[in-house]
Amino acid sequence: MEDVLDRFLRYVKIDTQSREGEGSPTTAKQFDLARLLVSELEAMGAAQVRLDEEHCYVYARIPGNLAPGRTAPAIGLIAHMDTSPAVSGENVKPRVLLYEGGDIDLSGDGTYVLRPGDFPILNNYVGQELVVTDGSTLLGADDKAGVAEIMALAEYLLTHPEAEHGEVCLAFTPDEEVGGGVRHFDLEHFGADFGYTVDGGPLGGLEYENFNAASAAVTVTGRSTHTGSAKNAMRNAVTLAMEFQSLLPPEETPEHTEGYEGFYHLDSIRGDVEKCEMSYILRDHDRSKLEAKKARFGAIAAYLNEKYGGEVFNTRVKDTYYNMKEVILPHMEIVDKVLEAMGDLGITPMVTPIRGGTDGAMLSYMGLPCPNLCTGGCVCHSRYEFASVPHMRKIVELLAHILEKHVKS
Ligand SMILES: [Zn+2]
């Protein structure tokens, strides 16, 4: 059986960066990895291997091998093939090293140095084999560590018939990093009862709560006059926009919140005296608190319209995605089996709320409850991204054990 490390090193060298913009997939180069995965799945003997030639999704199955009288749900495992547009993914040169503590000079000339001072999490990895970059690109452990682990698991299951499991449904998706990962996901073809995305961070990570999210656009209509004769006539849309912003709680912003604390984020503002447009994103794990944030936008606009006597402020608020917890809660055994499997393998679970969304959140609302599992990657979307080799191996074992945990006699 091929080591998960070798798979990982092979996959990260393939540039699969997605981009903001039109198209699905947003970049054709994601097919390079998709086609490789298809040929590898076929070579290892996976069933129903299929490439969506139009939208770049890879699907496959590992048929169940249950003993007579035993049952198990069909379990989905999902990872995304693309890497973040934040940092280049071209010509990734992964380096494997034994981390003995201290700084790691990634570029070799002191330009890019991975320091425990900047990333204290590094201290947890002393004595481990790590994969790092040369500082010129990201690594792509997000999410090629997940891809490699699922592929290694598939090969393991196909060569170890004694490892008992039900039907396993595999999918590799494009464009997760730009919010398009499930746009063309064929849930019916996929055929799982529930799933796990393998797209988290350090070993032990388990996530089944994410933000509820909305976007809000505020348009301020001003009135331009000559500045010399502006008294009681000019209405400056830019200063009115600043007044709107000043009525939001200053401590409820991304830079001042963590954990379960939600926020208002002014993402962009552009305008002049006649017209100013602001776009916000609103986030909260608690649905009722998000509703309160949305309501506050309407209330502020109403107050200011009253103050300035007219339709000066116009707000449009739209929900973007929801917290998957509402979908997972009625099926908590999906989470419990992971916790049990981690316990059996001596992995300390780290259950944290995601301060963002995941493909799993969208899939959950499409009818496929889908918590997120760890990959062993760290500091994603960065030149300083790294992955732990022993943890990637452990996660392959964890996936196999989770499948076993779902078998009922
Ligand atoms: Zn990811």
Side-chain angles (χ1 to χ4, degrees):
M1 218 190 99
E2 189 181 21
D3 188 0
V4 65
L5 172 63
D6 297 323
R7 290 190 179 278
F8 178 69
L9 295 176
R10 184 161 66 246
Y11 303 156
V12 296
K13 287 175 194 159
I14 300 169
D15 180 7
T16 56
Q17 189 182 49
S18 52
R19 64 180 179 92
E20 299 288 350
E22 299 301 302
S24 185
T26 59
T27 55
K29 58 191 175 186
Q30 296 179 67
F31 277 107
D32 297 346
L33 179 56
R35 295 217 162 83
L36 176 70
L37 296 177
V38 164
S39 67
E40 291 185 5
L41 285 162
E42 282 170 345
M44 69 173 76
Q48 299 180 44
V49 180
R50 180 185 140 199
L51 172 63
D52 176 341
E53 294 276 356
E54 190 182 357
H55 299 302
C56 196
Y57 289 72
V58 176
Y59 304 94
R61 296 271 182 107
I62 313 293
N65 63 354
L66 298 169
R70 288 155 78 85
T71 59
I75 299 176
L77 293 172
I78 301 159
H80 65 88
M81 296 181 286
D82 64 316
T83 61
S84 168
V87 180
S88 168
E90 193 181 347
N91 198 12
V92 173
K93 292 184 278 297
R95 175 158 66 106
V96 184
L97 54 85
L98 179 66
Y99 183 52
E100 289 169 325
D103 296 353
I104 304 172
D105 186 351
L106 299 174
S107 49
D109 60 3
T111 310
Y112 296 108
V113 181
L114 178 54
R115 295 186 176 92
D118 299 331
F119 303 100
I121 194 170
L122 204 52
N123 292 316
N124 303 344
Y125 295 87
V126 176
Q128 287 193 23
E129 244 189 327
L130 302 181
V131 188
V132 299
T133 70
D134 68 353
S136 65
T137 64
L138 48 64
L139 177 62
D142 177 10
D143 185 23
K144 286 163 184 166
V147 173
E149 286 151 8
I150 292 173
M151 290 293 286
L153 171 82
E155 190 187 9
Y156 170 79
L157 295 178
L158 289 162
T159 51
H160 291 76
E162 74 279 8
E164 199 178 6
H165 58 86
E167 185 94 355
V168 185
C169 312
L170 312 180
F172 301 109
T173 60
D175 290 336
E176 190 272 351
E177 299 290 1
V178 289
V182 299
R183 195 174 298 144
H184 298 281
F185 195 96
D186 189 344
L187 209 51
E188 203 163 317
H189 172 83
F190 189 52
D193 294 313
F194 58 85
Y196 298 100
T197 49
V198 186
D199 188 21
L203 181 68
L206 166 60
E207 296 150 345
Y208 63 95
E209 294 180 73
N210 59 283
F211 273 145
N212 294 291
S215 61
V218 180
T219 304
V220 189
T221 307
R223 189 191 304 124
S224 183
T225 67
H226 189 286
T227 48
S229 53
K231 188 163 185 181
N232 299 327
M234 179 191 280
R235 206 165 61 203
N236 187 336
V238 178
T239 53
L240 292 178
M242 289 158 67
E243 184 176 359
F244 185 99
Q245 165 67 17
S246 75
L247 293 172
L248 291 169
E251 73 285 9
E252 291 184 38
T253 58
E255 58 271 45
H256 297 299
T257 51
E258 61 184 0
Y260 285 107
E261 296 163 342
F263 59 72
Y264 303 85
H265 173 54
L266 175 57
D267 192 45
S268 83
I269 175 166
R270 57 176 65 87
D272 53 27
V273 173
E274 289 214 303
K275 189 176 180 185
C276 188
E277 292 180 305
M278 297 186 285
S279 60
Y280 287 87
I281 61 169
L282 315 183
R283 299 290 187 263
D284 211 298
H285 290 97
D286 184 320
R287 185 86 163 256
S288 63
K289 287 186 184 164
L290 183 75
E291 292 303 323
K293 285 185 166 60
K294 288 158 61 179
R296 189 189 286 254
F297 264 67
I300 292 174
Y303 161 72
L304 291 173
N305 281 336
E306 174 91 30
K307 179 175 172 183
Y308 292 104
E311 286 297 300
V312 179
F313 291 82
N314 181 276
T315 61
R316 277 153 296 137
V317 182
K318 200 173 86 202
D319 287 355
T320 321
Y321 54 80
Y322 300 109
N323 188 346
M324 72 169 114
K325 187 181 181 185
E326 290 173 37
V327 180
I328 305 287
L329 277 182
H331 309 280
M332 271 309 273
E333 72 280 0
I334 304 173
V335 169
D336 294 339
K337 297 290 182 198
V338 176
L339 294 173
E340 284 171 31
M342 285 182 175
D344 291 351
L345 298 179
I347 300 168
T348 309
M350 295 184 293
V351 182
T352 48
I354 305 172
R355 290 179 64 77
T358 69
D359 274 2
M362 310 240 202
L363 288 169
S364 293
Y365 279 89
M366 285 161 66
L368 185 81
C370 202
N372 189 33
L373 301 175
C374 49
T375 61
C378 283
V379 198
C380 61
H381 301 191
S382 163
R383 299 167 194 278
Y384 302 98
E385 188 182 16
F386 66 92
S388 157
V389 177
H391 288 180
M392 286 196 289
R393 290 184 186 130
K394 194 80 181 172
I395 288 162
V396 179
E397 215 182 309
L398 173 65
L399 295 176
H401 197 49
I402 290 169
L403 298 179
E404 217 175 296
K405 282 280 167 191
H406 281 286
V407 175
K408 297 182 197 77
S409 52

